[in-house]
Amino acid sequence: MPVTLQAPHVAPAAAAERTEHWWHRATGYQIYPRSFADSDGDGMGDIPGIISKLDHLADLGIGFIWLSPVYASPMIDNGYDISDYRGIAPEFGTLVDMDRLTAEAGARGIGIVMDLVVNHSSSLHRWFQAARASRDAPEHGYYIWRDPGSDGGPPDDARAAFGGSAWTFVPEVGQYYFHFFSPAQPDLNWQNPALREEVYDMMRWWLDRGIAGFRMDVISLIGKDVDERVYEEGPFLHPFLQEMHREVLAGRDVLTIGESWSVSTETGLLYCGHDRNELDMVFEFSHIREGWHPELGKFAPKPFDLVAFKHAIFSWQDLTRDDGWHALFLSNHDLPRQVSFYADDQTHRRAAARTLATVLHLLKGTPFVYQGEEIGMTNARFERIDQYRDLETLNHFESQIAHGVPPEVFLAGANRNSRDHSRTPMQWSAAPHGGFTTGTPWIEANPNFTEVNVEGDKAHPDSVFAHYRRLIALRKDSDLVCFGRTEQMFADDPDIVAYQRRLGDERLFVIANFTGREQLRDLPDEVCGPAECVIASHAGRDEVPCAIALAPFESLAWKL
Ligand code: NOJ
């Protein structure tokens, strides 16, 4: 039940009455089902596998699981192409398994947040099958069709995110349909009221089964106007989200997180402002895009620039100071492993993993842990293209090679940024394939599972898992960590992240070395002196020194 949160729990400037929800103190954990735990030896993770690992998650202390899609799907995009929104993919289990997961997680105080993928369906969904067979079928209007251009080709030259034209021709109806992603993922036509009602009805059906909310896949695309070639944050987006709120979400204490690759600090509060009645928070990617080449994109990553990264992170802290709420993450199933991308996955792997966690988890917002992050899992370092499975990587490989990019250049980019790095099997133990399966995994395990695995990490004195557990517990118990306002320090420093959090008279000071070199800094008087060290990547210190020496990837947080 929501309770009303009033001063002194919020900083003075935000003292207006505000409702506290369960997800303000909770930490989320993302599961990518096909790579988490395989219960039947077919090489593919499944729902019974997830159930068998719930104690691991309860031990970590998380409040909810964001479950990547488990719905029926031909799996062209690993489940982000749904052919039945109320069915479970047989390789993952059954609806009975799904209900059991919800119940067993619930018994451990863990909610299940499902992935809602309704910008597009699978081309094998019965709606699309009807739509492509006849212009007269009611479902024809559930998708976006246009007549051929004057030359008989596509209506325009829009490109799909996974390569090729965004339009595919269907001879039976003599029209092209629009797909922002692959041809197997036709976009749903949100301007059709019957389609919207189908989606709302399906959402109510899942919520009535007891799930805790939805992570909404590329939700900023649903308001598109293809004729104007406006795809992201189109003119209908916010009216549709408000309608969805009225029709489905109002009156239910559930969590909604929208994924948006285009949201900026200009538009962020339109989604999650307190009076908007749309979503609770958004996954935004400005800090991720910082690491991509501006024209060539993710497969041509540029060197990590900490100052630009901090600017992105802290501008969202500023934005959500008095309104809205933020989703904090560095990794997910579309991104590389954070310890490899931002830090050091070799010599300083454990310290770096702990420090990245400290920096993220002590910010204001709801933090998300991606499976394996809690033990510092790393990028796979594949050497050949045939080790990759992701259609985005494989399609871009083909087209870039056709455009003359040398394979080794593409592979170097993919080795840094391909989505498959986060999709290799979860490393539970030093057993074959990291204990993920007794069969042959659908994608190779990272060979470092012999050193990096849950069993080994939990037994290690510098356990990454133990560090995450402490951070997650800190948030649960501390108003300062949950609601304090954030003030960045050392904004222009290319090697250090530092900030304070303030709530009433309480202050938290966080400092982290983002390099593999020792760093010496003078600290301002306002933070120096005896203080309670609440977490440290290395040894704790019972005072904030006026001149601090930080070891490679060392981080500390003190309550002042
Ligand atoms: C975003 C998802 O996170 C990604 O995995 C997927 O490929 C696209 N949306 C299309 O659904």
Side-chain angles (χ1 to χ4, degrees), residues 58-387:
D59 190 15
L60 190 56
I62 57 140
F64 63 96
I65 293 170
W66 154 25
L67 188 63
S68 275
V70 288
Y71 310 90
S73 162
M75 301 285 170
I76 303 293
D77 189 17
N78 292 355
Y80 284 92
D81 48 327
I82 296 170
S83 54
D84 177 1
Y85 288 101
R86 298 177 199 217
I88 300 294
E91 54 268 62
F92 291 156
T94 62
L95 201 52
V96 173
D97 293 328
M98 188 58 218
D99 287 342
R100 194 157 68 86
L101 172 61
T102 309
E104 294 217 9
R108 291 164 174 85
I110 297 173
I112 302 288
V113 170
M114 290 194 76
D115 222 308
L116 182 78
V117 188
V118 290
N119 171 66
H120 46 272
S121 73
S122 159
S123 54
L124 295 189
H125 194 289
R126 68 177 168 75
W127 297 337
F128 190 73
Q129 292 297 309
R132 61 169 299 145
S134 162
R135 287 194 193 202
D136 298 330
E139 294 85 352
H140 191 75
Y142 287 12
Y143 294 89
I144 300 170
W145 299 93
R146 292 292 179 270
D147 291 337
S150 49
D151 61 353
D156 60 42
D157 62 359
R159 307 293 296 167
F162 293 157
S165 170
W167 296 97
T168 293
F169 188 64
V170 174
E172 289 84 341
V173 292
Q175 287 179 310
Y176 283 84
Y177 67 90
F178 180 81
H179 49 88
F180 191 90
F181 295 95
S182 80
Q185 294 163 298
D187 279 44
L188 291 165
N189 177 15
W190 271 74
Q191 295 187 40
N192 181 310
L195 176 273
R196 298 205 301 278
E197 187 44 42
E198 295 262 20
V199 171
Y200 301 154
D201 199 45
M202 174 270 286
M203 292 173 71
R204 288 187 288 256
W205 186 84
W206 277 108
L207 290 170
D208 291 345
R209 298 189 92 82
I211 66 160
F214 293 106
R215 173 266 184 186
M216 301 185 184
D217 191 65
V218 287
I219 202 67
S220 49
L221 290 173
I222 64 171
K224 65 178 78 67
D225 180 342
V226 293
D227 299 318
E228 295 299 324
R229 303 192 60 161
V230 176
Y231 309 111
E232 289 279 8
E233 303 189 313
F236 311 103
L237 170 63
H238 294 290
F240 290 159
L241 287 177
Q242 283 166 10
E243 182 185 79
M244 177 193 282
H245 191 275
R246 268 196 316 276
E247 294 292 320
V248 182
L249 304 166
R252 301 186 194 244
D253 190 20
V254 295
L255 167 61
T256 54
I257 317 124
E259 184 202 27
S260 173
W261 284 82
S262 55
V263 63
S264 65
T265 48
E266 261 91 74
T267 58
L269 292 179
L270 296 176
Y271 297 76
C272 66
H274 290 131
D275 298 332
R276 294 286 299 172
N277 291 326
E278 295 194 17
L279 303 176
D280 296 316
M281 58 185 89
V282 282
F283 283 131
E284 66 85 25
F285 294 86
S286 54
H287 59 302
I288 306 286
R289 283 182 187 275
E290 268 319 317
W292 296 4
H293 189 284
E295 281 100 48
L296 302 173
K298 69 193 294 185
F299 292 106
K302 54 180 198 191
F304 178 54
D305 174 350
L306 184 67
V307 172
F309 172 83
K310 290 192 291 187
H311 178 73
I313 294 275
F314 287 101
S315 49
W316 276 82
Q317 292 289 295
D318 292 345
L319 182 74
T320 51
R321 175 178 287 187
D322 298 325
D323 194 6
W325 192 255
H326 198 42
L328 304 166
F329 71 100
L330 293 175
S331 299
N332 69 24
H333 66 293
D334 292 330
L335 303 174
R337 290 285 177 182
Q338 63 193 44
V339 73
S340 303
F341 192 85
Y342 298 105
D344 174 359
D345 63 9
Q346 304 289 313
T347 321
H348 302 296
R349 182 185 66 84
R350 280 177 191 283
R354 288 155 69 108
T355 282
L356 289 175
T358 298
V359 166
L360 192 79
H361 282 243
L362 296 179
L363 291 169
K364 183 177 176 193
T366 297
F368 286 75
V369 179
Y370 179 70
Q371 65 185 42
E373 182 190 319
E374 77 277 27
I375 54 163
M377 276 179 63
T378 69
N379 274 3
R381 290 179 198 285
F382 288 146
E383 281 161 10
R384 304 183 318 272
I385 191 67
D386 66 9
Q387 293 174 290

Side-chain angles (χ1 to χ4, degrees), residues 450-525:
T450 48
E451 312 124 55
V452 182
N453 61 64
V454 171
E455 255 175 43
D457 184 79
K458 282 185 162 179
H460 196 282
D462 295 329
S463 164
V464 179
F465 181 90
H467 193 83
Y468 269 86
R469 183 165 49 193
R470 167 112 184 100
L471 284 166
I472 292 168
L474 267 175
R475 169 169 299 273
K476 258 187 219 160
D477 297 340
S478 163
D479 284 355
L480 176 59
V481 172
C482 288
F483 302 109
R485 70 165 53 196
T486 308
E487 288 166 15
Q488 189 184 188
M489 299 165 74
F490 293 91
D492 298 325
D493 193 308
D495 300 319
I496 295 280
V497 177
Y499 57 89
Q500 288 187 67
R501 305 283 311 279
R502 282 178 200 267
L503 187 70
D505 295 338
E506 290 188 325
R507 273 190 301 152
L508 186 77
F509 170 57
V510 181
I511 188 162
N513 177 359
F514 256 61
T515 73
R517 302 176 308 279
E518 187 185 53
Q519 300 287 344
L520 307 172
R521 293 293 181 281
D522 291 331
L523 298 178
D525 290 346

